[in-house]
Amino acid sequence: MDAPPRDGLPPFEDRTDFDNADRGFVAPLAPRVVTTEDGRVVWDGDAYGFLDADRPATAHPSLWRQSQLCARQGLYEVTEGLYQVRGLDLANMTLVEGHSGVVVVDPLVSAECAAAALAVYRRERGPRPVTGLVYTHSHVDHFGGARGVLPRGRETGVPILAPVGFLEAAVSENVFAGPAVARRSGFVHGVRLPKAPDGHIGTGLGTMRSGGTVTLLPPTVDITHTGQTETVDGVRMVFQLTPGTEAPAEMNFLFPGQRALCLAENVTHTQHNILTLRGALVRDARVWSRYLDEAIDFFGDAYDVAFASHHWPTWGHENVVRLLAEQRDLYAYLHDQTLRLLNSGLTGPEIAEELRLPPVLENAWHARGYYGSVNHNVKAVYQRYMGWYDGNPAHLWEHPPAELAKRYVEVAGGPGAMLAAARRYADAGDLRFAATLLNHLVFADPADQEAKEALAGVYRRLGHGAESGSWRNIYLTGALELRTGTGGAAVAADTAEMTSALTVSMLLDSIAVRIDGPRAANEPRLIIDLVVVDEERRHRLNLEHGALTHRSLPLHHMPKPHAGLTLTLTRPELLGLLSGKGLAGIETEGDRSLLKRLFSYVTQPEREFAIVTP
């Protein structure tokens, strides 16, 4: 069977989510298209008009329902003085009116979409200046559009609030592992898929991430502890710090004057990821659950509505408490039952097949696996505690995929026999094993077009039957790349604007992770000092044994041994140097060739590496 039966799903007659998604509608973006200055389309909401129709056979009924909800767009009033722009990017932008302007919460993925969202608000509410900016957490869809609401020259004096550790967490995901994460994000978000009933219908978390310019303005105010209170332009906020939940740096917060609770991305209308399929640190489901329990007590009865960085608000205090409690128990159940079963000897895949949510959670629309899923979340909890190795010695030192595939094909009796077997399994409805066999064929011989086409067909059937938007997009993108190859899917977040927000230590870390260690291992010890005058710090770089390390020192501290090259420069000059502008205008002392030697070992990441082929 291609798709699971409708039995076991919550009642489709329950229209509460649709009522809440439409409540408070003020005005749309019309047309629903956002472009760059040169006319390139970075957001096209009109392309999803087909979601107004009845569900086709090529979509899971539950995911189609979720996609219809996520496609709603425009300006919405949540409560007096608090608005959201939804459906103009993967995430929501929230705007809270102050004494003289407006405080913006989460400025979307790209500057172009953020500017368009702000323009919709100003068209309806007047040309209020942005007097504050808040990042709920460290994922790019919640800070990437910063320059769209605070263009250059207008950010001076505007407080930018974020949870402590925000910049470090944003850098580790978007810069250190940025190219690999961006490549896999193309699969998770279905960037290359056609927007159609048999193609891209959404992500479960939202419709799509925009393709515009990613920017970053560094925070100026750190939220360091639960109970911290800040007032910006007369808007008072009370914070609950929630590190290690949906993001390494994240926070919930209350607007007491508006009686509105922001739940960031800790509570949305989907089961979220314990480990995102694009790649990230494994999240702590136990801690996540405990912070939601803390929120119930900490914020008490001080709110009448809760909203989040995705999806639609929940009105009514009792309804919000119920939502918090069910999401709390969702993550606790996934964590605790996985631990119970792994301590009985089951491995991650075995637990994922056995574990089912209790009826109340399984029948709650907000706990369905539109973005995360029980299956891959269980494996993530297992990974957090046990790692990649399942304890079976046979799995300790297996051949890499291509070599393993060649041996499977040989054991099966050759490519023809394996292809025939795969087709029998596909015809019988066992698409999972058909995909396994066909994947071995493709990895054993990536030139086998018949095997690639058969695997693409199986992937499409798996995608059309998936309730998770992430799974659907991954399967359908896999089918597309088997048929057309790679190209144009990776949307980089490690942009020049992003780089300009990094500290000097972060900049040097971003270079260290790109050093070609095997080549650099033959290099005699290389020492360069960077005297960054506007930060009054000396940064010592040491390349030895193939590893680039660095440490920050007081400006006048002279460590031993003496550096072979010392550069005296400002931070903007350092950014220019790292972007290839050379040493012009920079004071140097020592052997300038050392810099060239260091840069010769810096590699450029491959942004379109193969995934569905070797």
Side-chain angles (χ1 to χ4, degrees):
M1 182 174 292
D2 293 1
R6 182 160 164 167
D7 294 344
L9 291 172
F12 281 72
E13 295 75 20
D14 180 359
R15 301 289 292 180
T16 303
D17 286 337
F18 287 89
D19 294 340
N20 286 342
D22 292 334
R23 180 171 171 172
F25 177 72
V26 177
L29 173 71
R32 297 186 290 178
V33 177
V34 180
T35 62
T36 59
E37 291 182 357
D38 61 3
R40 181 173 64 89
V41 174
V42 299
W43 178 259
D44 186 358
D46 285 333
Y48 292 92
F50 61 83
L51 287 168
D52 294 336
D54 292 338
R55 179 187 69 89
T58 53
H60 190 287
S62 181
L63 181 60
W64 187 263
R65 172 190 182 277
Q66 181 79 351
S67 297
Q68 289 179 319
L69 288 161
C70 290
R72 283 155 160 75
Q73 66 86 32
L75 178 68
Y76 294 79
E77 183 182 40
V78 178
T79 190
E80 185 176 357
L82 194 153
Y83 293 80
Q84 281 192 310
V85 180
R86 303 199 288 269
L88 266 68
D89 211 321
L90 182 65
N92 302 330
M93 178 192 288
T94 302
L95 305 106
V96 187
E97 295 174 352
H99 291 333
S100 61
V102 63
V103 176
V104 172
V105 180
D106 286 355
L108 308 181
V109 173
S110 64
E112 293 85 355
C113 283
L118 184 60
V120 173
Y121 166 80
R122 285 174 169 166
R123 185 184 69 203
E124 301 299 323
R125 300 293 299 166
R128 302 167 187 259
V130 173
T131 49
L133 183 58
V134 182
Y135 302 140
T136 60
H137 61 291
S138 53
H139 292 151
V140 70
D141 48 328
H142 307 278
F143 65 77
R147 285 290 182 193
V149 298
L150 286 175
R152 293 189 183 278
R154 297 185 187 177
E155 72 273 30
T156 304
V158 177
I160 302 174
L161 287 64
V164 66
F166 167 88
L167 202 55
E168 292 81 358
V171 168
S172 67
E173 181 171 311
N174 294 292
V175 177
F176 295 166
V181 169
R183 175 71 172 110
R184 283 171 49 165
S185 291
F187 274 66
V188 172
H189 294 292
V191 174
R192 295 182 62 199
L193 298 177
K195 299 173 179 63
D198 63 347
H200 195 277
I201 65 172
T203 68
L205 190 65
T207 301
M208 170 65 88
R209 61 167 288 175
S210 63
T213 307
V214 174
T215 62
L216 173 60
L217 287 167
T220 61
V221 179
D222 284 341
I223 306 305
T224 61
H225 61 277
T226 294
Q228 183 172 339
T229 301
E230 300 289 340
T231 300
V232 176
D233 190 21
V235 176
R236 184 165 171 260
M237 293 166 274
V238 181
F239 294 92
Q240 178 202 17
L241 212 58
T242 64
T245 52
E246 191 272 336
E250 190 149 358
M251 59 189 184
N252 300 324
F253 47 98
L254 175 73
F255 294 99
Q258 292 74 19
R259 294 189 57 81
L261 178 61
C262 176
L263 293 171
E265 204 166 324
N266 288 319
V267 176
T268 56
H269 291 280
T270 178
Q271 180 182 155
H272 218 296
N273 291 300
I274 305 303
L275 175 59
T276 69
L277 298 173
R278 69 175 185 273
L281 297 176
V282 181
R283 296 154 186 177
D284 190 337
R286 177 185 61 91
V287 164
W288 196 334
S289 172
R290 289 185 179 180
Y291 278 126
L292 297 185
D293 192 51
E294 179 185 78
I296 294 173
D297 179 66
F298 178 70
F299 294 112
D301 60 358
Y303 57 87
D304 301 315
V305 61
F307 63 93
S309 303
H310 295 274
H311 303 141
W312 48 95
T314 298
W315 281 271
H317 183 79
E318 291 184 2
N319 294 331
V320 176
V321 171
R322 185 183 307 111
L323 175 65
L324 280 163
E326 290 178 355
Q327 288 266 309
R328 172 199 64 196
D329 296 343
L330 168 66
Y331 297 115
Y333 192 89
L334 290 170
H335 176 273
D336 295 349
Q337 296 309 305
T338 299
L339 267 291
R340 178 180 66 85
L341 292 170
L342 74 82
N343 281 320
S344 298
L346 273 67
T347 65
E350 291 168 338
I351 300 169
E353 289 298 301
E354 179 167 324
L355 196 147
R356 290 282 300 271
L357 294 178
V360 170
L361 297 179
E362 195 167 59
N363 289 305
W365 284 117
H366 65 80
R368 301 296 300 186
Y370 301 121
Y371 194 52
S373 75
V374 170
N375 189 284
H376 73 257
N377 279 339
V378 161
K379 295 170 185 172
V381 175
Y382 184 93
Q383 178 178 322
R384 181 177 180 89
Y385 286 93
M386 306 301 289
W388 61 268
Y389 178 48
D390 64 3
N392 186 332
H395 302 151
L396 184 59
W397 192 34
E398 287 186 311
H399 286 290
E403 292 303 315
L404 195 62
K406 293 172 185 176
R407 288 158 175 78
Y408 272 117
V409 173
E410 180 183 358
V411 168
M418 184 173 272
L419 179 61
R423 284 174 168 159
R424 288 196 301 273
Y425 280 106
D427 290 343
D430 190 347
L431 299 179
R432 295 164 66 182
F433 192 60
T436 297
L437 292 180
L438 291 167
N439 183 66
H440 282 316
L441 273 176
V442 170
F443 270 71
D445 180 10
D448 187 338
Q449 293 299 323
E450 189 175 10
K452 289 168 74 174
E453 180 58 35
L455 181 55
V458 168
Y459 282 165
R460 281 187 64 80
R461 290 174 64 185
L462 283 166
H464 290 160
E467 183 178 19
S468 166
S470 300
W471 287 34
R472 177 187 175 95
N473 293 334
I474 288 169
Y475 282 130
L476 296 186
T477 301
L480 178 67
E481 293 207 352
L482 284 167
R483 288 170 170 159
T484 67
T486 64
V491 180
D494 54 336
T495 60
E497 176 74 33
M498 180 88 173
T499 301
S500 69
L502 308 187
T503 65
V504 171
S505 291
M506 291 174 182
L507 287 168
L508 298 178
D509 281 340
S510 72
I511 298 299
V513 299
R514 292 165 54 195
I515 293 292
D516 185 336
R519 282 201 305 117
N522 299 316
E523 172 74 46
R525 186 180 185 188
L526 185 157
I527 301 175
I528 298 175
D529 278 0
L530 304 177
V531 177
V532 184
V533 294
D534 48 348
E535 295 189 354
E536 297 186 346
R537 299 294 293 176
R538 178 185 298 269
H539 294 265
R540 166 147 291 195
L541 282 66
N542 187 89
L543 180 64
E544 191 173 16
H545 307 133
L548 177 64
T549 59
H550 60 90
R551 64 181 184 268
S552 175
L553 304 163
L555 183 62
H556 300 295
H557 181 72
M558 298 294 291
K560 294 180 179 181
H562 189 70
L565 173 65
T566 298
L567 305 180
T568 301
L569 71 179
T570 64
R571 187 174 174 282
E573 287 173 332
L574 175 60
L575 287 167
L577 178 65
L578 296 179
S579 67
K581 293 182 179 179
L583 288 167
I586 296 174
E587 180 183 337
T588 65
E589 177 186 344
D591 184 357
R592 292 166 63 123
S593 70
L594 295 186
L595 190 66
K596 183 177 181 180
R597 283 163 54 191
L598 173 62
F599 283 171
S600 73
Y601 297 116
V602 178
T603 62
Q604 294 299 320
E606 173 56 59
R607 296 189 181 275
E608 291 295 337
F609 52 80
I611 290 180
V612 293
T613 56

